[in-house]
Amino acid sequence: MALSLPRPHRVDVRIAVGSVLAGLAWWGLGLHMQTDRLFGGTWALIPLFVLAGLELLRRSRPQFALVVGTLALVADQFTAGNLASVMMFTDIMYAAVVYGTPAAARRIPVTTGLITVAVTIGFLAWFREPEAILIGVVTGLVSFGPATTGVLVRTHREAAVAARLRAEQTALLAEMDRVQAITAERARMARELHDMVANHLSAIAIHSTAALSLDDPKTTRDALAVIRENSVEGLAEMRRLIGILRDSSDDREPTAAPTLDGLGSLIAGARTNGLDVTLDDTRGPDDSKLPAPVELAAYRIIQESLTNALKHASPGLVTVTLTQRRRALDIRVTSPYGSPSGPRAPGSGAGLVGMRERTELLGGTFESGPESSAAPGDEKVWSVYATLPVDPSDLDPADEGVTE
């Protein structure tokens, strides 16, 4: 079975060919590194060609090339020697650290450093002349120097790879954050859109059903008036939301978000739509101004609760209760719960999901369902209860005396 060798890199081929040509030129000119050696003449070309062949394996077989190259360099010391052979060995030493295994990259500099020290001390003890130190210097330049350079280059490359990997991970995390932000924004827009138009569309559906089912001109006119009013208001709110989405500049002032100061208009609109609603706002004039996100969430929760009562509740009194404490705002909406009578608007349950999401985004609690405390035979009540926490740092310093 034939041994298949890896294809050498183009740079390695150029190094090998250039080194052989330079070595042959120096040999032809009679430039040798040593004289009076055991083998002279053409013997110096053997280590030259061996090291040139090993240059082809400097990337694919770096450790094998280093071992054989070391033996070839030792053999070169018994010939007249060639500078090209020494230069190729330094390159093989460098490549063994750069392209070798991590363990080899750690061992080779330490080994060559110890060899340099041992050679320096050994020849200094043998010759007992200061010039013997030069042998140790040459040994260090041929072995320890290239190995140290290889360590620096390898460390730099590994750092560059790690930095590129971190950059890719950062880009991936940024893309994930972008997708999550888009998803969260879509959910917020869906909640806002639902809360803005659901109340008006529910009223339109109910009154249009009543107008179609009752053959009474006055009732029909009243229903059409309510339908027109809700249509106009719904379109206005839709235009406001679309304007916010389309406007990407900072030149326009932001549109004011609904606050609890607008509950009067909201309750009046619910009464116009046919609900019997009462508002029990226990907040006093000395209570602190709530943060804007809390006020918006509270307004939308009450609005959606009234919409659900309009669509699903039985005839009866709907009660909205607001209680402000030191660190929270309590919202409670109750409505008759039973078999509805008369025209009802269809519902999908998205309103409860939106109210729960608004509450959880502020770190509050939300509960909805029939009250379990109702005595047998009593009228059942559907209750929506939400607690929106208020950060004390958002309150005015003058309101520190407000108690729970």
Side-chain angles (χ1 to χ4, degrees):
M1 181 177 179
L3 179 63
S4 59
L5 295 177
R7 186 175 181 179
H9 195 275
R10 291 178 299 177
V11 175
D12 300 340
V13 174
R14 293 171 183 172
I15 293 175
V17 173
S19 299
V20 169
L21 294 178
L24 291 175
W26 287 327
W27 178 78
L29 293 174
L31 299 176
H32 304 292
M33 295 183 63
Q34 301 151 152
T35 57
D36 300 330
R37 294 298 177 177
L38 182 61
F39 302 98
T42 59
W43 286 96
L45 298 180
I46 297 178
L48 176 68
F49 282 101
V50 171
L51 288 167
L54 294 175
E55 284 283 12
L56 303 177
L57 303 177
R58 63 192 292 273
R59 297 174 190 264
S60 57
R61 299 288 188 272
Q63 292 175 287
F64 172 79
L66 178 61
V67 173
V68 179
T70 302
L71 297 176
L73 184 66
V74 172
D76 188 63
Q77 305 309 307
F78 294 94
T79 68
N82 196 305
L83 180 60
S85 300
V86 178
M87 295 176 63
M88 283 190 288
F89 177 79
T90 59
D91 181 67
I92 292 173
M93 177 68 72
Y94 163 83
V97 176
V98 174
Y99 303 111
T101 62
R106 291 191 299 268
R107 289 196 304 264
I108 291 175
V110 176
T111 303
T112 54
L114 294 176
I115 291 175
T116 301
V117 173
V119 168
T120 303
I121 295 176
F123 277 94
L124 185 61
W126 185 10
F127 291 114
R128 298 183 183 278
E129 294 290 340
E131 289 77 5
I133 298 179
L134 296 178
I135 300 177
V137 172
V138 172
T139 303
L141 292 175
V142 173
S143 59
F144 182 69
T148 305
T149 304
V151 170
L152 296 177
V153 173
R154 184 179 182 123
T155 302
H156 176 73
R157 289 183 177 179
E158 291 176 349
V161 171
R164 184 167 60 251
L165 179 60
R166 285 195 299 269
E168 293 174 354
Q169 292 175 344
T170 302
L172 179 60
L173 291 175
E175 178 64 18
M176 294 175 61
D177 290 342
R178 187 186 70 84
V179 173
Q180 292 177 356
I182 292 176
T183 303
E185 183 64 15
R186 286 177 177 174
R188 186 192 68 81
M189 291 168 56
R191 287 193 303 269
E192 195 70 16
L193 182 61
H194 178 275
D195 293 342
M196 285 174 57
V197 303
N199 186 47
H200 299 296
L201 293 181
S202 299
I204 291 172
I206 290 174
H207 286 278
S208 62
T209 303
L212 292 173
S213 60
L214 299 177
D215 189 11
D216 184 0
K218 183 179 183 304
T219 303
T220 301
R221 284 195 302 270
D222 294 340
L224 290 176
V226 174
I227 290 173
R228 182 184 183 282
E229 180 182 355
N230 281 276
S231 300
V232 172
E233 292 180 359
L235 287 173
E237 293 188 358
M238 282 288 293
R239 291 193 188 98
R240 182 178 70 86
L241 179 59
I242 294 174
I244 294 174
L245 296 178
R246 285 180 174 175
D247 184 20
S248 59
S249 64
D250 297 331
D251 299 335
R252 291 175 52 188
E253 294 183 359
T255 306
T259 64
L260 294 179
D261 295 336
L263 281 182
S265 299
L266 182 64
I267 298 297
R271 288 170 180 164
T272 302
N273 292 330
L275 281 180
D276 184 10
V277 187
T278 180
L279 175 61
D280 184 13
D281 190 353
T282 62
R283 298 178 302 154
D286 296 332
D287 285 334
S288 60
K289 183 68 175 178
L290 294 172
V294 176
E295 291 227 5
L296 175 60
Y299 182 91
R300 293 303 189 195
I301 290 173
I302 295 173
Q303 183 184 45
E304 182 58 32
S305 298
L306 295 178
T307 301
N308 288 342
L310 179 65
K311 292 191 294 185
H312 307 296
S314 300
L317 180 64
V318 178
T319 303
V320 178
T321 305
L322 285 177
T323 304
Q324 182 171 346
R325 296 180 288 158
R326 173 67 178 82
R327 297 176 182 270
L329 174 68
D330 295 331
I331 306 168
R332 185 181 184 87
V333 182
T334 59
S335 58
Y337 174 68
S339 300
S341 61
R344 293 291 144 195
S348 62
L352 293 177
V353 175
M355 289 189 286
R356 185 178 300 276
E357 288 179 349
R358 287 185 183 275
T359 306
E360 291 177 351
L361 285 174
L362 295 177
T365 57
F366 178 82
E367 297 177 1
S368 65
E371 288 189 351
S372 58
S373 59
D378 291 348
E379 183 183 36
K380 295 183 179 179
V381 175
W382 181 274
S383 175
V384 173
Y385 180 75
T387 299
L388 304 179
V390 179
D391 189 351
S393 61
D394 294 333
L395 301 179
D396 297 333
D399 298 317
E400 291 296 326
V402 180
T403 58
E404 294 285 349

